[in-house]
mmCIF file of all heavy atoms in Angstrom:
data_model
loop_
_atom_site.group_PDB
_atom_site.id
_atom_site.type_symbol
_atom_site.label_atom_id
_atom_site.label_comp_id
_atom_site.label_asym_id
_atom_site.label_seq_id
_atom_site.Cartn_x
_atom_site.Cartn_y
_atom_site.Cartn_z
ATOM 1 N N ALA A 1 0.856 -1.185 0.000
ATOM 2 C CA ALA A 1 0.000 0.000 0.000
ATOM 3 C C ALA A 1 0.893 1.236 0.000
ATOM 4 O O ALA A 1 1.926 1.278 0.668
ATOM 5 C CB ALA A 1 -0.905 -0.002 1.218
ATOM 6 N N VAL A 2 0.513 2.243 -0.777
ATOM 7 C CA VAL A 2 1.281 3.481 -0.886
ATOM 8 C C VAL A 2 0.357 4.628 -0.515
ATOM 9 O O VAL A 2 -0.762 4.733 -1.026
ATOM 10 C CB VAL A 2 1.828 3.664 -2.323
ATOM 11 C CG1 VAL A 2 2.597 4.966 -2.426
ATOM 12 C CG2 VAL A 2 2.700 2.496 -2.709
ATOM 13 N N GLU A 3 0.840 5.545 0.393
ATOM 14 C CA GLU A 3 0.057 6.704 0.819
ATOM 15 C C GLU A 3 0.869 7.975 0.577
ATOM 16 O O GLU A 3 2.091 7.941 0.522
ATOM 17 C CB GLU A 3 -0.291 6.588 2.305
ATOM 18 C CG GLU A 3 -1.182 5.413 2.619
ATOM 19 C CD GLU A 3 -1.459 5.293 4.107
ATOM 20 O OE1 GLU A 3 -1.093 6.188 4.880
ATOM 21 O OE2 GLU A 3 -2.024 4.256 4.493
ATOM 22 N N ASN A 4 0.175 9.100 0.491
ATOM 23 C CA ASN A 4 0.777 10.423 0.296
ATOM 24 C C ASN A 4 1.642 10.478 -0.962
ATOM 25 O O ASN A 4 2.708 11.079 -0.988
ATOM 26 C CB ASN A 4 1.612 10.850 1.527
ATOM 27 C CG ASN A 4 0.769 10.982 2.760
ATOM 28 O OD1 ASN A 4 -0.423 11.279 2.672
ATOM 29 N ND2 ASN A 4 1.375 10.757 3.921
ATOM 30 N N PHE A 5 1.183 9.844 -2.008
ATOM 31 C CA PHE A 5 1.913 9.858 -3.267
ATOM 32 C C PHE A 5 1.465 11.072 -4.056
ATOM 33 O O PHE A 5 0.271 11.323 -4.204
ATOM 34 C CB PHE A 5 1.614 8.570 -4.056
ATOM 35 C CG PHE A 5 2.315 8.508 -5.373
ATOM 36 C CD1 PHE A 5 3.674 8.273 -5.432
ATOM 37 C CD2 PHE A 5 1.631 8.702 -6.556
ATOM 38 C CE1 PHE A 5 4.332 8.221 -6.641
ATOM 39 C CE2 PHE A 5 2.277 8.657 -7.779
ATOM 40 C CZ PHE A 5 3.637 8.405 -7.816
ATOM 41 N N ALA A 6 2.401 11.853 -4.550
ATOM 42 C CA ALA A 6 2.154 13.069 -5.332
ATOM 43 C C ALA A 6 1.294 14.052 -4.547
ATOM 44 O O ALA A 6 0.305 14.586 -5.022
ATOM 45 C CB ALA A 6 1.519 12.726 -6.669
ATOM 46 N N GLY A 7 1.702 14.272 -3.321
ATOM 47 C CA GLY A 7 0.959 15.206 -2.472
ATOM 48 C C GLY A 7 1.216 16.646 -2.877
ATOM 49 O O GLY A 7 1.839 16.953 -3.893
ATOM 50 N N THR A 8 0.761 17.595 -2.029
ATOM 51 C CA THR A 8 0.943 19.026 -2.300
ATOM 52 C C THR A 8 1.628 19.667 -1.097
ATOM 53 O O THR A 8 1.651 19.120 0.005
ATOM 54 C CB THR A 8 -0.425 19.699 -2.542
ATOM 55 O OG1 THR A 8 -1.222 19.529 -1.392
ATOM 56 C CG2 THR A 8 -1.111 19.151 -3.765
ATOM 57 N N GLY A 9 2.150 20.833 -1.298
ATOM 58 C CA GLY A 9 2.785 21.579 -0.202
ATOM 59 C C GLY A 9 4.059 20.917 0.265
ATOM 60 O O GLY A 9 4.930 20.563 -0.514
ATOM 61 N N ARG A 10 4.146 20.739 1.604
ATOM 62 C CA ARG A 10 5.333 20.137 2.208
ATOM 63 C C ARG A 10 5.585 18.705 1.757
ATOM 64 O O ARG A 10 6.719 18.251 1.722
ATOM 65 C CB ARG A 10 5.145 20.138 3.728
ATOM 66 C CG ARG A 10 6.100 21.007 4.434
ATOM 67 C CD ARG A 10 5.970 20.932 5.936
ATOM 68 N NE ARG A 10 6.119 19.560 6.396
ATOM 69 C CZ ARG A 10 5.413 18.995 7.361
ATOM 70 N NH1 ARG A 10 4.501 19.687 7.996
ATOM 71 N NH2 ARG A 10 5.623 17.757 7.712
ATOM 72 N N VAL A 11 4.560 17.968 1.426
ATOM 73 C CA VAL A 11 4.705 16.559 1.025
ATOM 74 C C VAL A 11 4.553 16.402 -0.480
ATOM 75 O O VAL A 11 4.035 15.405 -0.964
ATOM 76 C CB VAL A 11 3.684 15.670 1.780
ATOM 77 C CG1 VAL A 11 4.079 15.496 3.202
ATOM 78 C CG2 VAL A 11 2.293 16.196 1.639
ATOM 79 N N GLN A 12 5.002 17.399 -1.220
ATOM 80 C CA GLN A 12 4.887 17.370 -2.668
ATOM 81 C C GLN A 12 5.796 16.303 -3.266
ATOM 82 O O GLN A 12 6.892 16.062 -2.758
ATOM 83 C CB GLN A 12 5.277 18.760 -3.205
ATOM 84 C CG GLN A 12 5.074 18.891 -4.680
ATOM 85 C CD GLN A 12 5.418 20.309 -5.145
ATOM 86 O OE1 GLN A 12 6.071 21.065 -4.446
ATOM 87 N NE2 GLN A 12 4.987 20.654 -6.337
ATOM 88 N N GLY A 13 5.318 15.646 -4.338
ATOM 89 C CA GLY A 13 6.103 14.607 -4.999
ATOM 90 C C GLY A 13 6.110 13.339 -4.166
ATOM 91 O O GLY A 13 5.092 12.913 -3.663
ATOM 92 N N VAL A 14 7.303 12.806 -3.952
ATOM 93 C CA VAL A 14 7.414 11.552 -3.206
ATOM 94 C C VAL A 14 8.078 11.780 -1.843
ATOM 95 O O VAL A 14 8.477 10.822 -1.187
ATOM 96 C CB VAL A 14 8.188 10.486 -4.026
ATOM 97 C CG1 VAL A 14 7.375 10.017 -5.186
ATOM 98 C CG2 VAL A 14 9.534 10.988 -4.453
ATOM 99 N N ARG A 15 8.190 13.043 -1.391
ATOM 100 C CA ARG A 15 8.845 13.330 -0.123
ATOM 101 C C ARG A 15 8.080 12.736 1.051
ATOM 102 O O ARG A 15 8.677 12.253 1.999
ATOM 103 C CB ARG A 15 8.961 14.839 0.085
ATOM 104 C CG ARG A 15 9.999 15.444 -0.789
ATOM 105 C CD ARG A 15 10.188 16.908 -0.434
ATOM 106 N NE ARG A 15 10.857 17.537 -1.545
ATOM 107 C CZ ARG A 15 10.635 18.752 -1.944
ATOM 108 N NH1 ARG A 15 9.769 19.519 -1.332
ATOM 109 N NH2 ARG A 15 11.295 19.240 -2.958
ATOM 110 N N GLY A 16 6.780 12.795 1.021
ATOM 111 C CA GLY A 16 5.987 12.288 2.147
ATOM 112 C C GLY A 16 5.420 10.903 1.882
ATOM 113 O O GLY A 16 4.474 10.470 2.533
ATOM 114 N N LEU A 17 6.007 10.196 0.933
ATOM 115 C CA LEU A 17 5.509 8.871 0.549
ATOM 116 C C LEU A 17 5.640 7.884 1.697
ATOM 117 O O LEU A 17 6.674 7.808 2.350
ATOM 118 C CB LEU A 17 6.299 8.362 -0.661
ATOM 119 C CG LEU A 17 5.934 6.969 -1.162
ATOM 120 C CD1 LEU A 17 4.562 6.992 -1.809
ATOM 121 C CD2 LEU A 17 6.969 6.476 -2.142
ATOM 122 N N GLU A 18 4.564 7.201 1.948
ATOM 123 C CA GLU A 18 4.572 6.145 2.954
ATOM 124 C C GLU A 18 4.180 4.851 2.258
ATOM 125 O O GLU A 18 3.157 4.785 1.596
ATOM 126 C CB GLU A 18 3.572 6.446 4.073
ATOM 127 C CG GLU A 18 3.924 7.668 4.886
ATOM 128 C CD GLU A 18 2.873 7.970 5.946
ATOM 129 O OE1 GLU A 18 2.058 7.067 6.260
ATOM 130 O OE2 GLU A 18 2.859 9.096 6.428
ATOM 131 N N ALA A 19 5.002 3.836 2.421
ATOM 132 C CA ALA A 19 4.721 2.539 1.792
ATOM 133 C C ALA A 19 4.605 1.488 2.890
ATOM 134 O O ALA A 19 5.393 1.480 3.838
ATOM 135 C CB ALA A 19 5.829 2.168 0.822
ATOM 136 N N THR A 20 3.611 0.639 2.742
ATOM 137 C CA THR A 20 3.423 -0.461 3.685
ATOM 138 C C THR A 20 3.429 -1.762 2.896
ATOM 139 O O THR A 20 2.714 -1.913 1.910
ATOM 140 C CB THR A 20 2.060 -0.323 4.411
ATOM 141 O OG1 THR A 20 1.996 0.959 5.025
ATOM 142 C CG2 THR A 20 1.906 -1.406 5.456
ATOM 143 N N VAL A 21 4.268 -2.699 3.319
ATOM 144 C CA VAL A 21 4.338 -4.012 2.678
ATOM 145 C C VAL A 21 3.974 -5.029 3.745
ATOM 146 O O VAL A 21 4.497 -4.994 4.855
ATOM 147 C CB VAL A 21 5.745 -4.287 2.122
ATOM 148 C CG1 VAL A 21 5.813 -5.691 1.530
ATOM 149 C CG2 VAL A 21 6.134 -3.236 1.093
ATOM 150 N N GLN A 22 3.055 -5.923 3.375
ATOM 151 C CA GLN A 22 2.601 -6.923 4.350
ATOM 152 C C GLN A 22 2.633 -8.301 3.691
ATOM 153 O O GLN A 22 2.112 -8.494 2.594
ATOM 154 C CB GLN A 22 1.164 -6.592 4.785
ATOM 155 C CG GLN A 22 0.587 -7.573 5.754
ATOM 156 C CD GLN A 22 -0.853 -7.213 6.125
ATOM 157 O OE1 GLN A 22 -1.350 -6.159 5.740
ATOM 158 N NE2 GLN A 22 -1.482 -8.073 6.866
ATOM 159 N N ALA A 23 3.255 -9.248 4.343
ATOM 160 C CA ALA A 23 3.283 -10.629 3.873
ATOM 161 C C ALA A 23 2.482 -11.467 4.858
ATOM 162 O O ALA A 23 2.583 -11.275 6.073
ATOM 163 C CB ALA A 23 4.714 -11.140 3.786
ATOM 164 N N SER A 24 1.673 -12.395 4.309
ATOM 165 C CA SER A 24 0.881 -13.247 5.195
ATOM 166 C C SER A 24 0.827 -14.660 4.633
ATOM 167 O O SER A 24 0.922 -14.874 3.429
ATOM 168 C CB SER A 24 -0.529 -12.684 5.362
ATOM 169 O OG SER A 24 -1.208 -12.667 4.134
ATOM 170 N N GLN A 25 0.699 -15.600 5.523
ATOM 171 C CA GLN A 25 0.587 -17.017 5.148
ATOM 172 C C GLN A 25 -0.496 -17.627 6.024
ATOM 173 O O GLN A 25 -0.450 -17.532 7.238
ATOM 174 C CB GLN A 25 1.922 -17.733 5.365
ATOM 175 C CG GLN A 25 1.864 -19.234 5.200
ATOM 176 C CD GLN A 25 1.652 -19.651 3.754
ATOM 177 O OE1 GLN A 25 2.332 -19.142 2.874
ATOM 178 N NE2 GLN A 25 0.710 -20.535 3.510
#
C-alpha cells in the first residue's frame, strides 16, 4: 500500500511517501 503519493505543499512529490508491505501465510 502506498500513501501520500504526489501530495501538495510540504509533502509534494514523493517526499511524504509512505509505503506499507505486508506478507501473510
Side-chain angles (χ1 to χ4, degrees):
V2 179
E3 296 178 8
N4 297 332
F5 179 73
T8 60
R10 246 184 56 219
V11 286
Q12 185 178 17
V14 290
R15 287 186 198 145
L17 178 70
E18 295 177 17
T20 305
V21 177
Q22 178 181 353
S24 63
Q25 172 70 47

